[in-house]
Amino acid sequence: MTASLGPEEWAAIWLSLQVALVATVCALPLAVWVAYVLARKQFPGRQLLNGLVHLPLVLPPVVTGYLLLIIFGQQGPLGAFLHSTFGVSLAFRWTGAALAAAIMAFPLMVRAIRLGIEAVDPGLEAAAATLGASRTRIFMSVTLPLVLPGVLAGTVLGFAKALGEFGATITFVAAIPGQTQTIPSAIYGLLQVPGSEPAVVRLVIVSVVLAMGALLVSEWLAHRMARRVAA
Amino acid sequence: MLDIHIQKQLGHFRLDIGVQAPAGVTAIFGPSGSGKTSVVNAVAGLMTPDQGRISVGEAVLLDTSRGQNLPVHKRRVGYVFQDARLFPHMTVQRNLEYGGMHDAERVISVLGLQELLDRRPAGLSGGERQRVALGRALMCDPQILLMDEPLAALDAARKAEILPYIERLRDDVKIPILYVTHDVSEVARLATTLVVMDQGQVATAGPVDEVLSQPRAVPLVGVRAAGAVIMTKVAGRLLDDGLTELAFSGGRLLMPGNLGGLGQVIRVRIPAQDVILSREAPQGLSALNVLPVTICGIEDGRGPGVAVGLLAGNDRLLARVTRRSLQRMELAVGQEIYAIIKATAVGPEDVGH
């Protein structure tokens, strides 16, 4: 058994990181907005939005992947539109893997960010207003600094989830080496081949290290947030 | 002069008040749920009334008939909240400077904030937090100061630590201060004007000594809390006995403790339930303070108690006796009798400067 990673394994690792990074970065602004709306605004359809956001968390990932395939596949309504208008195709591409990862990570990001927003006392924003601060200044100087640790925690959690996404990804974009084969789908593929246990073990170790690292960072940020907001 | 006329329907609760607050402390007093905080929130712009007008001197903050409603951050109100609301992620210094640097050096020295500047709100005591909150509100150069039960969350010792600062403030800054409280001793110490609220309306209002000495204020203020406030001058000190002699238009009073230097004007609250009435000048009594008074009003409320208004010189006092005593002594308006006040009835919390 060799300890070093082969080129195909490296490809899977880099692809996983790329997919997870793009998924998290693209989902973040929307997640912050949805979390803010859910935490602070009362409007009809609030529960519906909340349910919709959480759906990927409770649906079997295969179902989510299949729905993505139907909607974003070459023949799907959005897929056909994107392909004919922008020349972008998602199915069986790494971009599709990023979309699947983003959708699966989204509920976790929204939850963490929402907790961060709910921990900020709206009374502090009212106090800032009485001291002459405009809405923009209040958001930049009071709300954002207090919410930031929650946003970071949500980002890390979403990144870890995107890194490990399997079910929806493999259903939507399959596992094409170098194109859509991420770490989890590479491990799954290797398990089907006799004698590839060393490669499996190496990728498993990489997975554990990445996930553990993300969790530790997330915990540390959550701890900081709790200390900072406790007044 | 701060002028407030507002109406607001909040579910089944209706707020409908008119309040005028001159420079000095205007206390808004009343039981919880009477709408006190809604009034200050309306002035700050944190609550928008259905109808009304709020103005400070020439500046109009709200006029619903003209569709005027100045946003919160343009109203120049200093607001001290009950829970301080310091920004937890900033040092005391940055909290203070958030709204401006008006008179910073003096505010910091008067409130004793110098050694707190580098600390964070989480490490401050309740009293220190309120001092910082007060300083922060003052440094934004407000045209009105709003204080919503700033001492309610503090114990007696912390209260005693902050009250002198607020007294000094009242005498130093020439802006109207709206002070919400449900503690009558704070009213007695601080207020120049008193507005008593009940169920969203003004029950009675006026200069604090007049309002508190009305017999009909007793049920509004609460039987235990009722009591007149009189302005007195320190006329002498009995060092051996640890007493201070206070002079006012109705005579002289001896009160325990060192209450101030000779000639200093201090205000004293005399609880109505600690004033005893006698038809003849009493003999052989341990009480030190006996004042000749004239009955100027009798308020026969519900329950066994009766409030009796007394005129001592030009000042008014208030006594609370049972209906049974009133009938037995055959007391009536215009009668000249004696009021007996036990020196120890007046606690340190009832004495202000």
Side-chain angles (χ1 to χ4, degrees):
Chain A
M1 170 173 158
T2 50
S4 59
L5 295 153
E8 228 177 76
E9 291 154 47
W10 272 115
I13 292 167
W14 284 122
L15 184 72
S16 280
L17 289 172
Q18 182 188 357
V19 163
L21 200 68
V22 168
T24 330
V25 168
C26 292
L28 186 62
L30 191 63
V32 172
W33 184 72
V34 170
Y36 185 82
V37 163
L38 286 176
R40 287 287 171 81
K41 304 280 183 216
Q42 292 296 331
F43 57 94
R46 185 167 166 272
Q47 284 309 320
L48 190 71
L49 177 65
N50 193 30
L52 213 60
V53 165
H54 282 87
L55 210 54
L57 202 62
V58 286
L59 272 181
V62 181
V63 173
T64 307
Y66 180 66
L67 289 174
L68 285 173
L69 199 56
I70 288 180
I71 299 166
F72 290 97
Q74 294 294 15
Q75 268 80 51
L78 272 176
F81 169 76
L82 287 174
H83 188 67
S84 61
T85 321
F86 301 105
V88 178
S89 71
L90 294 167
F92 309 111
R93 297 291 166 83
W94 77 268
T95 43
L99 177 68
I103 283 179
M104 296 302 287
F106 196 67
L108 292 174
M109 296 173 75
V110 169
R111 285 178 77 89
I113 297 168
R114 183 178 168 179
L115 281 179
I117 293 173
E118 281 170 349
V120 177
D121 175 10
L124 291 175
E125 294 159 321
T130 65
L131 291 165
S134 63
R135 267 172 184 274
T136 322
R137 184 170 170 225
I138 294 170
F139 185 79
M140 296 308 287
S141 63
V142 177
T143 317
L144 196 62
L146 292 174
V147 168
L148 210 55
V151 172
L152 290 175
T155 309
V156 173
L157 209 60
F159 180 76
K161 173 69 188 171
L163 211 52
E165 216 299 304
F166 174 68
T169 310
I170 205 159
T171 314
F172 184 34
V173 295
I176 307 158
Q179 180 69 257
T180 63
Q181 194 184 60
T182 57
I183 298 175
S185 48
I187 293 173
Y188 181 75
L190 285 167
L191 283 172
Q192 316 297 312
V193 184
S196 54
E197 277 79 12
V200 170
V201 169
R202 287 194 293 272
L203 285 177
V204 164
I205 290 171
V206 170
S207 287
V208 169
V209 168
L210 287 175
M212 224 24 218
L215 263 183
L216 286 176
V217 171
S218 170
E219 282 296 309
W220 178 73
L221 288 172
H223 180 70
R224 263 192 59 147
M225 169 176 73
R227 219 182 39 191
R228 217 164 154 181
V229 178
Chain B
M1 174 78 88
L2 168 65
D3 224 309
I4 310 168
H5 285 276
I6 49 166
Q7 282 140 36
K8 170 97 178 173
Q9 191 73 40
L10 296 154
H12 292 296
F13 182 79
R14 183 165 176 76
L15 184 71
D16 185 350
I17 61 137
V19 170
Q20 291 190 320
V25 174
T26 298
I28 300 185
F29 177 87
S32 50
S34 56
K36 306 186 294 285
T37 299
S38 299
V39 175
V40 278
N41 279 345
V43 175
L46 297 174
M47 182 272 269
T48 308
D50 300 332
Q51 277 173 57
R53 190 173 190 280
I54 301 171
S55 61
V56 190
E58 300 292 298
V60 176
L61 304 184
L62 173 89
D63 191 343
T64 51
S65 68
R66 293 186 191 176
Q68 275 180 295
N69 187 7
L70 212 57
V72 182
H73 67 277
K74 292 196 175 145
R75 292 198 176 196
R76 287 185 55 218
V77 295
Y79 198 148
V80 181
F81 299 88
Q82 181 179 343
D83 51 351
R85 299 198 188 169
L86 302 181
F87 305 124
H89 57 301
M90 298 181 190
T91 59
V92 167
Q93 170 124 31
R94 286 191 52 215
N95 264 284
L96 287 171
E97 291 169 357
Y98 191 85
M101 295 286 286
H102 174 73
D103 221 0
E105 255 174 61
R106 216 171 66 91
V107 169
I108 288 169
S109 81
V110 166
L111 290 172
L113 300 174
Q114 193 60 51
E115 63 270 37
L116 303 179
L117 291 178
D118 295 328
R119 310 239 313 257
R120 287 199 174 243
L124 302 180
S125 73
E128 288 169 335
R129 270 180 219 186
Q130 284 303 6
R131 262 155 59 201
V132 176
L134 187 54
R136 185 177 68 171
L138 290 173
M139 276 169 64
C140 74
D141 191 17
Q143 51 181 347
I144 337 154
L145 191 61
L146 308 173
M147 304 180 82
D148 185 10
E149 309 217 17
L151 307 181
L154 307 180
D155 58 36
R158 294 288 152 283
K159 271 187 199 177
E161 170 195 323
I162 296 199
L163 275 165
Y165 290 117
I166 304 178
E167 280 175 339
R168 205 140 119 203
L169 197 71
R170 173 196 61 202
D171 305 331
D172 281 5
V173 298
K174 295 294 170 222
I175 57 172
I177 301 173
L178 273 193
Y179 189 100
V180 170
T181 182
H182 63 253
D183 183 342
V184 79
S185 67
E186 285 171 37
V187 172
R189 279 191 67 159
L190 300 171
T192 34
T193 308
L194 174 59
V195 176
V196 181
M197 283 190 66
D198 191 28
Q199 293 173 15
Q201 304 205 315
V202 174
T204 177
V208 69
D209 46 347
E210 278 179 30
V211 173
L212 281 181
S213 60
Q214 289 167 3
R216 71 178 198 88
V218 173
L220 294 169
V221 177
V223 272
R224 248 169 262 282
V229 171
I230 53 171
M231 299 301 281
T232 65
K233 202 175 254 182
V234 176
R237 295 260 304 281
L238 283 71
L239 290 176
D240 292 346
D241 299 324
L243 297 171
T244 303
E245 187 177 20
L246 303 171
F248 75 114
S249 71
R252 284 168 184 256
L253 292 171
L254 285 171
M255 293 291 165
N258 174 10
L259 302 181
L262 212 61
Q264 193 178 345
V265 174
I266 65 172
R267 49 162 88 197
V268 180
R269 188 179 85 93
I270 299 170
Q273 59 180 0
D274 292 323
V275 177
I276 300 164
L277 301 179
S278 166
R279 295 200 58 157
E280 284 96 38
Q283 302 283 324
L285 212 64
S286 71
L288 290 168
N289 302 306
V290 178
L291 301 168
V293 295
T294 310
I295 297 178
C296 61
I298 294 173
E299 176 81 7
D300 201 351
R302 280 172 294 168
V306 177
V308 181
L310 308 166
L311 202 58
N314 303 320
D315 286 294
R316 283 163 191 276
L317 297 176
L318 205 55
R320 194 170 167 275
V321 297
T322 59
R323 181 172 295 116
R324 189 179 159 83
S325 311
L326 185 88
Q327 284 161 356
R328 226 178 38 192
M329 291 168 72
E330 295 171 348
L331 297 179
V333 173
Q335 247 173 12
E336 292 185 359
I337 55 167
Y338 294 89
I340 299 145
I341 302 157
K342 208 163 179 254
T344 50
V346 178
E349 71 278 8
D350 295 318
V351 176
H353 298 98

